[in-house]
């Protein structure tokens, strides 16, 4: 992706509409068939280490940077699919649920909120997939 971030990246220029792609960020709110999405950068491995060092931070095999002040209101397609993080003991795994049941109480993540890390799949200007990202 752009800026060597995972997914479609994290640089979209001056766009006010989130383009089609696979985007990482936080689900700040979900209401009336729409997700308010805060785009961020997600790196792993050596690139995460380099980006964290440049920011004077520490990476933990991943690094997230959110410097874009914009949020995007993205309609959720009726046919969208969603995955939440289920915890069982010390194991965490994604479970597909109906998009109308997401966000789901009891998820490992506090969703929706600025701490609700998700991958948002956007196709035709609509969210067609929402996948929670486990962050230790």
């Amino acid at each position: 992706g752009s800026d060597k971030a995972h997914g479609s990246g994290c640089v979209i220029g001056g766009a006010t509409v989130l383009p089609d792609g696979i985007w990482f960020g936080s689900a700040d709110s979900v209401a009336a068939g729409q997700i308010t999405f805060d785009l961020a950068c997600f790196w792993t491995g050596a690139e995460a280490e380099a980006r964290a060092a440049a920011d004077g931070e520490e990476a933990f095999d991943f690094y997230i940077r959110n410097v874009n002040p914009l949020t995007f209101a993205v309609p959720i397609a009726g046919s969208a699919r969603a995955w939440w993080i289920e915890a069982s003991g010390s194991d965490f795994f994604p479970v597909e649920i109906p998009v109308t049941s997401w966000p789901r109480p009891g998820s490992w993540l506090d969703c929706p909120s600025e701490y609700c890390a998700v991958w948002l799949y956007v196709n035709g200007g609509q969210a067609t997939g929402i996948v929670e990202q486990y962050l230790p």
Side-chain angles (χ1 to χ4, degrees):
S2 65
D3 204 24
K4 298 183 182 178
H6 289 288
S8 297
C10 55
V11 178
I12 59 170
T16 57
V17 174
L18 192 63
D20 288 358
I22 302 170
W23 305 99
F24 176 78
S26 63
D28 289 356
S29 68
V30 178
Q34 180 173 282
I35 184 170
T36 301
F37 182 74
D38 188 3
L39 179 65
C41 302
F42 186 89
W43 296 284
T44 58
E47 194 65 32
E49 296 290 336
R51 300 300 176 129
D55 290 348
E57 301 286 340
E58 186 176 354
F60 300 96
D61 200 37
F62 70 93
Y63 185 66
I64 297 168
R65 180 189 294 152
N66 184 354
V67 295
N68 182 343
L70 296 176
T71 58
F72 300 90
V74 182
I76 300 172
S79 61
R81 300 172 72 188
W83 286 262
W84 73 299
I85 296 172
E86 187 170 299
S88 176
S90 61
D91 293 328
F92 300 89
F93 47 93
V95 174
E96 186 173 4
I97 60 173
V99 74
T100 54
S101 297
W102 187 88
R104 186 174 191 150
S107 175
W108 170 252
L109 299 177
D110 180 18
C111 292
S113 76
E114 65 182 292
Y115 304 106
C116 181
V118 298
W119 291 94
L120 190 67
Y121 290 66
V122 179
N123 293 285
Q126 295 184 314
T128 57
I130 302 168
V131 181
E132 293 182 7
Q133 171 68 53
Y134 171 77
L135 299 172

